[in-house]
């Protein structure tokens, strides 16, 4: 249950907090990135629910509940492992999607600097602490946050790569780690179920 709550909190933090929340608030969003997070949050919610039934099954010494607990953990294991592998394999596609979103907004701003996109591109610059796509574009009137370190943070495409790469690396590690924990849960549930059956056979 605690692991499930931790996974939910982690997934929601990546989805609604920090830099990625700004990408999600726009009409376009890196769907490939968020797909892995949705799987992670869903598996965490299922883990929390299943954990309760596992506790009930152990307390009541119910083979039926423990068997259901094992089956659910097997589904969770598949989901978490898939999310972990998905995060590592799909990293390149997610980065390309996010970079394309920024480039589209950047080109829209260049066509109409006074339009609504001005606020959108500034929000991205503020969240990523960057400005433009290369070192020279800082002088072209882009809406940039104050006190950013130049020229290191001038290329937003590089910053997007760094942020998503780090986030998906975390998703992959958490997904595979929780999948490992569920293996122990399945082993212990089967051991307990067999012990209950043997005890009843002896009686």
């Amino acid at each position: 249950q605690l692991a499930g709550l931790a996974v939910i909190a982690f997934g929601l933090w990546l989805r609604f907090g920090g830099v990625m929340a700004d990408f999600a608030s726009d009409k376009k969003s890196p769907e490939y990135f968020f797909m892995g997070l949705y799987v992670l949050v869903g598996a965490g919610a299922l883990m929390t629910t299943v954990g309760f039934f596992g506790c009930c099954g152990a307390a009541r010494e119910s083979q039926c509940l423990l068997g259901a607990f094992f089956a659910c953990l097997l589904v969770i294991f598949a989901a978490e492992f898939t999310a972990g592998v998905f995060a590592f394999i799909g990293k390149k596609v997610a980065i390309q999607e996010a970079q394309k979103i920024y480039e589209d907004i950047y080109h829209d701003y260049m066509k109409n600097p006074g339009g609504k996109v001005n606020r959108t591109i500034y929000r991205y610059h503020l969240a990523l602490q960057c400005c433009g796509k290369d070192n020279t574009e800082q002088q072209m009137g882009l809406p940039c946050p104050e006190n950013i370190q130049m020229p290191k943070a001038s290329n937003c495409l590089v910053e997007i790569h760094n942020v998503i790469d780090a986030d998906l690396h975390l998703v992959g590690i958490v997904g595979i780690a929780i999948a490992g924990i569920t293996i122990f849960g399945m082993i212990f549930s089967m051991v307990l179920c067999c012990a209950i059956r043997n005890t009843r056979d002896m009686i």
Side-chain angles (χ1 to χ4, degrees):
Q1 282 181 308
L2 292 175
L5 291 173
V7 170
I8 292 172
F10 177 73
L12 292 177
W13 172 69
L14 286 180
R15 173 61 177 81
F16 297 105
V19 177
M20 296 312 300
D22 291 304
F23 279 96
S25 62
D26 196 66
K27 291 182 179 179
K28 299 179 180 178
S29 61
E31 295 178 0
Y32 207 82
F33 175 83
F34 292 122
M35 200 179 297
L37 296 186
Y38 295 144
V39 172
L40 205 63
V41 172
L46 186 59
M47 283 179 68
T48 305
T49 305
V50 169
F52 173 76
F53 292 109
C55 290
C56 291
R60 296 175 60 87
E61 297 186 354
S62 170
Q63 288 180 282
C64 182
L65 283 175
L66 287 173
F69 178 69
F70 175 86
C72 290
L73 281 184
L74 190 61
V75 174
I76 292 170
F77 170 78
E80 294 286 359
F81 188 79
T82 301
V85 173
F86 186 82
F88 284 119
I89 295 178
K91 192 181 294 185
K92 184 176 180 181
V93 177
I95 290 171
Q96 289 174 345
E97 283 184 356
Q99 287 177 334
K100 187 177 186 307
I101 290 170
Y102 176 79
E103 287 184 315
D104 290 342
I105 293 170
Y106 175 85
H107 291 310
D108 288 343
Y109 174 81
M110 288 302 176
K111 293 177 183 177
N112 184 19
K116 294 181 180 180
V117 75
N118 180 68
R119 184 168 54 189
T120 303
I121 196 171
Y122 176 76
R123 190 176 70 244
Y124 287 168
H125 287 166
L126 187 63
L128 292 163
Q129 282 299 295
C130 63
C131 190
K133 295 195 296 181
D134 59 47
N135 298 342
T136 61
E137 290 169 351
Q138 176 72 13
Q139 304 174 358
M140 296 178 63
L142 284 169
C144 302
E146 299 178 359
N147 302 322
I148 61 172
Q149 297 179 356
M150 305 296 291
K152 182 181 177 182
S154 62
N155 194 329
C156 288
L157 298 182
V158 173
E159 291 303 309
I160 289 170
H161 178 280
N162 293 339
V163 168
I164 295 184
D165 183 74
D167 285 352
L168 282 179
H169 191 69
L170 282 174
V171 171
I173 291 173
V174 170
I176 293 175
I178 298 300
I181 293 173
T182 57
I183 291 176
F184 285 102
M186 287 188 289
I187 293 172
F188 290 138
S189 65
M190 281 295 97
V191 169
L192 185 57
C193 191
C194 291
I196 292 170
R197 184 178 60 189
N198 292 336
T199 302
R200 290 178 177 173
D201 289 342
M202 289 176 63
I203 294 173

